[in-house]
Amino acid sequence: MTQPALRPYLPADAPLLAAIFQASVEELTGDDYTEAQQAAWASEADDEAAFGARLAAGLTLVATLDGTAVGFASLKDNLLVDLLYVHPDAVGQGVGTALCDGLERLAAARGAKEIKADASDNAEGFFTARGYQPQRRNTVTIGGEWLATTTLMKPLATSPAASPR
Ligand SMILES: CC(C)(COP(=O)(O)OP(=O)(O)OC[C@H]1O[C@@H](n2cnc3c(N)ncnc32)[C@H](O)[C@@H]1OP(=O)(O)O)[C@@H](O)C(=O)NCCC(=O)NCCS
């Protein structure tokens, strides 16, 4: 199986990443959220310029399979996994793992002692399997819809060399 590769986000990626975001929300979150909640969530990328600005404001990595972008993740304030989305056609191939590994290593290399995620209910299992510990439940409003999330935290090794991997 092809291994995912990572590269930094470029401004020209914004339309494609917006499309990945919307497909991911629409096709992968239906077990935990209503159609109205999914529609409100997906609409966060309707304004491509604003979405691109959000991607550029964080430390954003793009994952590719055979050169094609299939997912992305963004680290905010060297602390929070702000975005983590994989295209439905590419799930289950280690793309989310590669992206999260990348963000955790970058955060640790920049001195972070811990990393957090505000995980949607469908992604909470992904994070707990990686050693993130649930800290609190939240509700966020997007486009008039209330969505439940969980804040999780994972301690980071102080230097990449000390990482168990
Ligand atoms: C959650 C998400 C990023 C996972 O991406 P992915 O590329 O499929 O993840 P991987 O292939 O690297 O999976 C790694 C492991 O996590 C497991 N896993 C993946 N998604 C999971 C989930 N939702 N719940 C529990 N475990 C999950 C896989 O089974 C795999 O386990 P294994 O190593 O034992 O085989 C992807 O499903 C997604 O984009 N979901 C919708 C968007 C979303 O909710 N994003 C998070 C916002 S906070």
Side-chain angles (χ1 to χ4, degrees), residues 75 78-81 100 103-104 107 112-117 132 152-156:
L75 183 70
N78 209 41
L79 176 68
L80 180 74
V81 179
C100 236
L103 290 191
E104 290 170 13
K113 302 280 188 290
E114 62 184 32
I115 189 164
K116 293 188 174 189
Y132 287 68
L152 302 101
M153 188 275 285
K154 176 181 178 176
L156 293 175

Side-chain angles (χ1 to χ4, degrees), residues 23-122:
S24 180
V25 171
E26 285 163 6
E27 295 183 42
L28 299 177
T29 68
D31 286 349
D32 296 281
Y33 297 95
T34 66
E35 281 184 22
Q37 288 173 318
Q38 289 177 289
W41 186 357
S43 74
E44 284 193 300
D46 283 351
D47 182 340
E48 269 175 21
F51 191 68
R54 182 173 171 188
L55 294 167
L59 195 169
T60 300
L61 298 177
V62 177
T64 60
L65 283 175
D66 297 325
T68 301
V70 292
F72 64 97
S74 188
L75 183 70
K76 186 178 177 185
D77 300 331
N78 209 41
L79 176 68
L80 180 74
V81 179
D82 181 38
L83 300 160
L84 172 67
Y85 293 86
V86 175
H87 192 280
D89 293 344
V91 290
Q93 299 180 58
V95 175
T97 296
L99 286 164
C100 236
D101 282 349
L103 290 191
E104 290 170 13
R105 284 185 191 155
L106 284 167
R110 293 172 177 214
K113 302 280 188 290
E114 62 184 32
I115 189 164
K116 293 188 174 189
D118 280 333
S120 51
D121 288 353
N122 52 283

